[in-house]
Structure formats: C-alpha cells, structure tokens
Amino acid sequence: MHYFRRMMEFDEQVALCALNKIFGYHPRLAMALMEEAGSAAALFDGKWKAPGQAGGDGMPDRASHPELLAQLVPSMLEWAQGELSRIREQGFRFLGYTDPDYPAPLREIPDPPLGLYLNGSTPPTQIFDLHPMVGVVGTRDLSPYGRAWCRKLVEGLARARVQPCIVSGMALGADGIAHQTALDCGLTTIGVLPTGIDKMYPWQHERLAMQMVGAPGCGLVTDYPTGTAPVALNFLRRNRIIAALTRAVIVVESKTKGGSLMTARYAVEYGRDVYALPGRADDLRSAGCNSLIHENMAEIITTPEDLVARLGLGASTRGAGGSWASGSGASLRSSLIRKYGELSAQVRIGEAVKDNLGITVEALSALLILPYQEVLTAVTVMEADGILTTDLLGRCSLTPNYS
C-alpha cells in the first residue's frame, strides 16, 4: 500500500509537470479541469472527457482552447518524466501545485503556476516559509537617485526586527541592486526568472545567480520548462509570480509602461500592498511611480524606517552603520581619506556627489572651484576604483558599496 501511494504521488507530480507545460499561459483553465477530473493525473487516464462548452460561475471556456485539450495525451507524461529526470540530474527541484513544499502564497491567487522549478542549496521550506517576502522592482535604466534609494530601502529592511526575504526578477537595474544588497546585508533573496531554470538572463547576472543559489535560504525559481528562452511574453508571466509570492511590492523607479507597473498591478489584483518611491514630476523614470501614488494604487515611500513600520516588520534593531556599510562601518569621508589622502580632490568629490545625486563633472568643477581637468582625472580614478559611476549623460553617482 505504501508503495502504491508513492506511485500515485509520483504520477500526480509527473502530470502536474505536463500540465504546467501545456497550460502555462492558461493556469486558470488547468485548475478548473483538475477540479472537474479530481486530479492532474486523471486528465491523462483516457477516461476523462473535456466538456464542449464553458462551465458556469465564470469558469474558463474550454472550447476556446481545443489545441491545449488535444495535448492531454500519454506522450506528454513521457516528456514530463524525462523533464523531472533532467532537472534532478542538474540538482534542481520541481514543486507541483499539490506538493507540500509548494509556496503557500501562490495558492492564494486565481492563476497559480501548476508547478515551480527551484534552484537552491537549502530545502524549499527554508526558502519560502521562514521570512515574510517583500518584492522590490524597478526600471532597468535606474537614475543615480533610484540606485541610491533602492540600496537604502533594502538596507532599511535589513535593519528591521523581522527580516524579510527580498523577491525580484534578476533583471538589470533595480532587480540586480535589490538582490545584491540583500546578500550584502545578510537577507535572503529569491530571483524569479523569465526563462527555464537551466538558463540565466541576463548573462551579466550569472555571478549574482551563483551567489544566490549558494546562499542559505536563497534561490532561483521559474514556472517555465527547461530550455525556455527569454522572449518578451515571458516577462509578464514572471511578474505575476513576483507579486504573488510577496506580501508587499516596492516600486523604486518606473516609466509609465513596463514590467514594474505590471507587477504592481498584479499585486493590487492579488490583494498585496504596493509602495512607490516618488520622483521629480519631469523625470520619465519616476512617472510610473508618481502615477501609482496619484491613482491611490500605491502608498508613498518617505523613509526606510517608515516603510519598515508600515510593513509591520518591527522597529530597526541596528543603526545605519551596520556591518554591511562601506569601509566596515566607516563613513564615506574616512574611507576616501584612507584611500586618497585628506587633501585629495577625491574626498571633496565623493562628498559632493553624495549630496548632489547625478551631478556632472562640469557642475562638480564649478561647485568645488576646481579645474575641470583635475576633477575629470579624479572622477576617472574613482571610477576605476569602483567608487563612482557615470552614465551616458556624464552624471555621477556613488556605487552601492559607498552610497
């Protein structure tokens, strides 16, 4: 009997893996079919027949997707068995919807993934169940203001009495800064991929992904089968998982159109809280955040401490000079003095950039009353040393380790 029960569970896992491939973009329909048939495996046993028309009470229309229903054949189970064998060989896991380790928050939404692929070094319960999850998203084209605040907000969350897990999408810009800052601060973090679990996008974050996979309580997840490439449509499906996993979503910067706004809208639909960082009225990268606040879809972020309080994570347990601060808790000024000398231009430049996010070399020269060439040389040296960055418009900002 025990062997028979295990075989039934295995068959259900295989069936869920197959359903996830077939109905990945139509999970509501798959859930309705499973409810009618009694299980995922029952959909493949040859006895169940799909109704020819829509069900009542707002159930999805089966008749509109005959091409999906036609794939409920034994050969799909053979594919799924091979898929599960492949991911086990690579050290990944597949958590079907009925798996006890499947993340509970995903079961709360009307369109949950039929299964979730996981790459992590610790058990799923230590990734999904130990900490409240908070999403941090934003544009890839972050301004110096956005970069500084993204790091500042995650650092503020790390000082909370109840430390959250940071969830984001592994993209360039806000996502990468959120993940890396979480690791730097000792928080756990989950990356939701727009690809198969065996691929990494963007390639620039391969090292970050390796760090996350190896860190306790961290990991990468996706609902896409192995081999799935990053095409545009995949990102929307990824964004709903970010919103669903979390109790709140923080939008750092966003234009009026983009994935961050979609994540925020999913969060509202799923009953999650949304917070947005306000920006200048004429800054396109803040237009989306300002719109969310204006439309009462998001609460305004004023300080990291206020955000922590409104999230219900308790008062900060550490001061701003935590162990992750640049120079092992030392101030920016003392770090620069040790590196360049007290009378160096770099000390004055570093402090000026900290107080004037996005300031240009020309403006620095005028502000500090220093020759342009001297400022340009000093900025170049600081860039090479990983202290400053400049964007295409020549605007300067401190790197995350020094902001």
Side-chain angles (χ1 to χ4, degrees):
M1 178 64 72
H2 179 64
Y3 174 77
F4 178 73
R5 187 184 305 116
R6 289 190 62 186
M7 285 299 295
M8 289 295 289
E9 291 172 354
F10 175 72
D11 289 345
E12 188 70 2
Q13 190 84 331
V14 172
L16 283 166
C17 184
L19 288 180
N20 185 66
K21 179 178 176 63
I22 298 169
F23 295 95
Y25 288 99
H26 302 278
R28 296 188 195 214
L29 174 54
M31 295 297 293
L33 296 177
M34 285 170 54
E35 184 176 352
E36 290 176 354
S39 69
L43 294 171
F44 294 91
D45 66 6
K47 301 175 183 177
W48 179 84
K49 299 297 182 183
Q53 56 187 353
D57 300 324
M59 299 294 275
D61 186 351
R62 295 108 171 107
S64 64
H65 296 289
E67 76 288 355
L68 300 182
L69 299 177
Q71 296 181 55
L72 295 173
V73 293
S75 61
M76 282 304 303
L77 293 181
E78 295 175 10
W79 171 87
Q81 286 178 323
E83 173 83 340
L84 294 177
S85 296
R86 284 190 295 273
I87 66 169
R88 280 195 296 269
E89 290 171 0
Q90 297 177 71
F92 308 140
R93 285 196 59 173
F94 178 82
L95 307 175
Y97 180 79
T98 59
D99 192 307
D101 291 334
Y102 183 90
L106 294 184
R107 290 200 175 97
E108 300 171 0
I109 66 174
D111 52 351
L114 279 298
L116 205 64
Y117 294 80
L118 169 65
N119 184 8
S121 60
T122 47
T125 52
Q126 295 181 25
I127 295 175
F128 300 118
D129 298 344
L130 296 186
H131 303 277
M133 289 183 274
V134 174
V136 179
V137 296
T139 180
R140 291 165 174 79
D141 180 32
L142 276 184
S143 69
Y145 165 79
R147 285 196 294 270
W149 267 92
C150 186
R151 184 170 177 83
K152 185 182 296 186
L153 291 172
V154 176
E155 288 178 342
L157 293 172
R159 294 193 293 270
R161 180 174 54 80
V162 178
Q163 296 197 324
C165 173
I166 303 301
V167 181
S168 197
M170 295 300 294
L172 299 174
D175 293 17
I177 292 175
H179 289 306
Q180 188 63 64
T181 304
L183 291 174
D184 294 343
C185 296
L187 294 179
T188 57
T189 183
I190 296 172
V192 186
L193 303 177
T195 64
I197 199 68
D198 57 336
K199 293 184 176 294
M200 183 59 228
Y201 179 84
W203 63 264
Q204 293 94 326
H205 281 166
E206 287 183 357
R207 182 175 176 273
L208 173 61
M210 292 297 292
Q211 285 181 278
M212 292 169 62
V213 168
C218 302
L220 305 175
V221 299
T222 182
D223 68 333
Y224 288 106
T226 57
T228 302
V231 297
L233 186 61
N234 293 5
F235 292 86
L236 291 179
R237 193 164 131 185
R238 182 272 308 271
N239 293 342
R240 98 181 191 285
I241 295 178
I242 296 175
L245 279 174
T246 60
R247 60 190 289 180
V249 169
I250 298 167
V251 186
V252 178
E253 276 187 332
S254 176
K255 298 176 183 178
T256 53
K257 293 182 179 180
S260 300
L261 265 290
M262 289 306 303
T263 304
R265 295 185 190 283
Y266 276 126
V268 171
E269 178 185 341
Y270 297 152
R272 279 40 170 168
D273 295 330
V274 178
Y275 297 86
L277 179 71
R280 295 196 317 266
D282 61 351
D283 189 343
L284 294 178
R285 285 171 292 196
S286 289
C289 288
N290 292 342
S291 175
L292 288 173
I293 295 168
H294 176 71
E295 296 173 16
N296 294 319
M297 293 181 64
E299 295 186 46
I300 189 171
I301 294 173
T302 54
T303 67
E305 293 74 22
D306 179 57
L307 176 64
V308 167
R310 283 190 283 167
L311 287 172
L313 299 176
S316 298
T317 58
R318 288 176 283 183
S323 60
W324 57 84
S326 64
S328 299
S331 68
L332 171 66
R333 178 179 177 81
S334 59
S335 297
L336 295 176
I337 288 174
R338 284 198 305 271
K339 192 170 188 66
Y340 301 109
E342 187 170 4
L343 301 180
S344 66
Q346 282 88 343
V347 173
R348 298 177 62 192
I349 290 171
E351 292 184 313
V353 171
K354 182 177 181 180
D355 294 335
N356 301 272
L357 288 174
I359 191 170
T360 63
V361 173
E362 291 87 348
L364 280 170
S365 175
L367 177 66
L368 302 176
I369 317 177
L370 290 173
Y372 173 82
Q373 193 59 46
E374 181 180 351
V375 174
L376 178 61
T377 299
V379 167
T380 302
V381 170
M382 295 174 77
E383 277 196 283
D385 290 339
I387 297 170
L388 287 183
T389 62
T390 57
D391 62 17
L392 295 177
L393 298 179
R395 297 173 297 194
C396 301
S397 61
L398 296 170
T399 59
N401 286 336
Y402 288 86
S403 58

